[in-house]
Amino acid sequence: MALEEPSDPIPIIGGTGALGYGLAVRWATAGIGVVIGSRDVARAAQAATRVAEQVPGAAVEGLDNSEAVTRGPIVFLTVPFRAQSETLNNLRGALQSGQTLVDCTVPLAAAVSGKATRSLGVWQGSAAQQAAEMVPEGVTVIAALHSVGAPKLADLSQPIDEDVLVCGDRKADKAPVAALIDRIEGLRAINAGPLEMARIAEQITPLLISVNARYKAHAGLKLTDLETEGHWD
Amino acid sequence: MALEEPSDPIPIIGGTGALGYGLAVRWATAGIGVVIGSRDVARAAQAATRVAEQVPGAAVEGLDNSEAVTRGPIVFLTVPFRAQSETLNNLRGALQSGQTLVDCTVPLAAAVSGKATRSLGVWQGSAAQQAAEMVPEGVTVIAALHSVGAPKLADLSQPIDEDVLVCGDRKADKAPVAALIDRIEGLRAINAGPLEMARIAEQITPLLISVNARYKAHAGLKLTDLETEGHWD
């Protein structure tokens, strides 16, 4: 493991949304501190209170996004695609060189009132590559956690058994992110290659939405025949 | 099951290639007749002989592509992307209205000596949608079987446990294709939505290639939490 115990808290930007909230609940359950960020500090505080109620003993606080990002080295961005650019613009002064931003954004056409089974073409190739263009110098962007269903994360009675595709240009940068993902029971972080592979990883979400609509299911992704033990060491 | 027993033989265009050959071996094992098509009838006959040696009692023959497509209602196209257009042009007089063409093509950049982890942008959206533009009037195109590893199919000692994304505009057209896929032990056909979803389904292959390169593995795709029983009935 690249992380020492006790680990740094995890800032979750857009942590009042479904995915961010679900991650907060799971990490809190794993004994990791979380900082829920929102544009609206009152909503952030409210979400933090909900997490604390759901997870006894949780180390959780709710802050303004800009304040939240200062609380830990690895920041998760879980806003909807339509808010991604604006959020990153607002964080330009707050994100510091040496930090890692984990972009979980999926460019669903739903962002412009299109279908959730269709994607928007992002000129850079993917939402994560767009994020990489926008972060301050020295901030590393990793893409991950696009395909994990938010409702399942937030409901601790639901067992999870899913793989998480982690994309980024350097394995050393991906490893600590993978370690955080692996701390959530039932999730397995998979090294999917460089950041440009986010073009594909982000598309798993509309694919699952299409399958789920047909089967009235909450399907997750899993790769078979893959021995992952020791990969990140 | 939409198919009666004994079922029609399955023409496999490009059946001397790795994926086509692997499918031939598996369907022959399941007791279904296969017709291996090739531009080169001698190579088709050779591949048919190999299948017959590998699968005692196999009903298999090797024919010219144009002859092969006339032997069954559901034709599988397993040529590499760089040969897809030419092959479909050559089959224009042979494919008949009422037939189904299952396109298994993946537009890997390897077709133009690029990386196998990168894709070519196809103006129509996907290789399958390109195929749909090229087939004669009345021929239905379904996309499937992009992500199943050819070496695993061809080696009967290897157990398979993978899902196959099936894309097509009408469920009734996908069902008989799904039935053929389900006849291969360890494969499960998943209704992934309309043909346009082939844009995503085709991308699973370069994603798996990227993962496999990092883990020295032969990973396959599986969707979890998905109850599929009875979906195609």
Side-chain angles (χ1 to χ4, degrees):
Chain A
M1 287 304 209
L3 294 174
E4 295 97 50
E5 306 279 356
S7 48
D8 296 299
I10 304 176
I12 305 174
I13 304 309
T16 58
L19 176 62
Y21 181 81
L23 290 170
V25 165
R26 293 283 172 169
W27 277 319
T29 304
I32 305 176
V34 287
V35 181
I36 290 182
S38 173
R39 281 173 306 182
D40 179 345
V41 68
R43 292 189 56 219
Q46 227 166 38
T49 303
R50 278 170 60 212
V51 173
E53 283 168 7
Q54 206 180 334
V55 185
V60 53
E61 56 182 331
L63 298 173
D64 173 79
N65 279 335
S66 312
E67 187 60 29
V69 297
T70 66
R71 299 305 178 93
I74 303 179
V75 177
F76 287 75
L77 181 65
T78 64
V79 297
F81 180 61
R82 66 172 174 277
Q84 190 208 31
S85 281
E86 189 190 344
T87 304
L88 287 174
N89 268 328
N90 293 341
L91 291 177
R92 259 185 196 153
L95 281 167
Q96 299 296 319
S97 177
Q99 282 190 294
T100 293
L101 180 84
V102 185
D103 183 74
C104 310
T105 316
V106 177
L108 297 181
V112 293
S113 304
K115 288 190 182 186
T117 54
R118 285 179 172 159
S119 298
L120 296 173
V122 180
W123 194 266
Q124 297 88 335
S126 62
Q129 289 165 291
Q130 174 165 284
E133 252 189 32
M134 297 191 67
V135 293
E137 187 77 26
V139 173
T140 300
V141 172
I142 303 292
L145 287 163
H146 314 92
S147 62
V148 181
K152 220 183 277 177
L153 284 173
D155 179 356
L156 289 168
S157 72
Q158 298 243 23
I160 297 180
D161 182 23
E162 298 187 25
D163 285 342
V164 173
L165 302 169
V166 182
C167 310
D169 289 340
R170 282 178 300 271
K171 188 178 175 186
D173 294 330
K174 286 179 273 193
V177 176
L180 291 178
I181 292 166
D182 285 338
R183 290 284 295 272
I184 296 179
E185 203 183 325
L187 292 187
R188 179 176 69 157
I190 303 288
N191 188 351
L195 193 65
E196 67 176 31
M197 296 304 290
R199 296 170 196 217
I200 304 178
E202 292 173 3
Q203 303 302 322
I204 305 295
T205 307
L207 175 71
L208 290 177
I209 290 170
S210 180
V211 169
N212 286 339
R214 279 162 184 82
Y215 291 89
K216 301 187 198 327
H218 299 279
L221 176 78
K222 191 89 192 172
L223 300 186
T224 60
D225 287 328
L226 193 61
E227 186 47 70
T228 54
E229 198 62 34
H231 176 79
W232 298 107
D233 299 342
Chain B
M1 285 303 213
L3 294 174
E4 294 96 50
E5 306 282 353
S7 48
D8 296 301
I10 305 177
I12 305 174
I13 304 310
T16 59
L19 176 62
Y21 182 80
L23 290 171
V25 165
R26 294 283 171 167
W27 276 319
T29 304
I32 305 177
V34 287
V35 181
I36 290 182
S38 173
R39 280 174 307 181
D40 179 346
V41 68
R43 293 189 56 219
Q46 231 167 36
T49 303
R50 277 171 59 213
V51 173
E53 284 167 8
Q54 206 180 332
V55 185
V60 54
E61 57 182 331
L63 298 173
D64 173 78
N65 279 335
S66 311
E67 188 59 29
V69 297
T70 66
R71 300 305 179 91
I74 302 179
V75 176
F76 287 75
L77 181 66
T78 63
V79 297
F81 180 62
R82 65 173 175 278
Q84 190 208 31
S85 280
E86 190 191 344
T87 304
L88 287 174
N89 268 328
N90 293 340
L91 290 177
R92 258 183 197 157
L95 280 168
Q96 299 297 317
S97 176
Q99 281 190 295
T100 292
L101 180 84
V102 184
D103 184 73
C104 310
T105 316
V106 177
L108 296 181
V112 292
S113 304
K115 290 190 180 185
T117 53
R118 285 179 172 160
S119 298
L120 296 173
V122 180
W123 195 264
Q124 296 88 336
S126 62
Q129 288 165 291
Q130 174 165 284
E133 251 189 33
M134 297 192 68
V135 293
E137 187 77 27
V139 173
T140 300
V141 172
I142 303 293
L145 287 163
H146 314 92
S147 62
V148 180
K152 219 184 279 176
L153 284 173
D155 180 356
L156 289 169
S157 72
Q158 298 242 25
I160 297 179
D161 181 21
E162 298 187 24
D163 285 342
V164 173
L165 303 168
V166 181
C167 310
D169 289 339
R170 281 178 302 271
K171 189 179 176 185
D173 294 330
K174 286 179 273 193
V177 175
L180 291 178
I181 291 166
D182 285 337
R183 289 285 294 273
I184 296 179
E185 204 183 324
L187 292 187
R188 177 176 69 156
I190 302 289
N191 188 351
L195 193 65
E196 66 175 33
M197 296 306 290
R199 298 172 194 216
I200 303 178
E202 292 173 3
Q203 303 302 323
I204 304 294
T205 307
L207 174 72
L208 291 177
I209 290 171
S210 180
V211 169
N212 286 339
R214 279 162 183 82
Y215 291 88
K216 302 188 200 320
H218 299 280
L221 175 78
K222 191 88 189 172
L223 300 186
T224 60
D225 287 327
L226 192 61
E227 185 48 68
T228 53
E229 197 63 33
H231 176 80
W232 298 107
D233 300 341

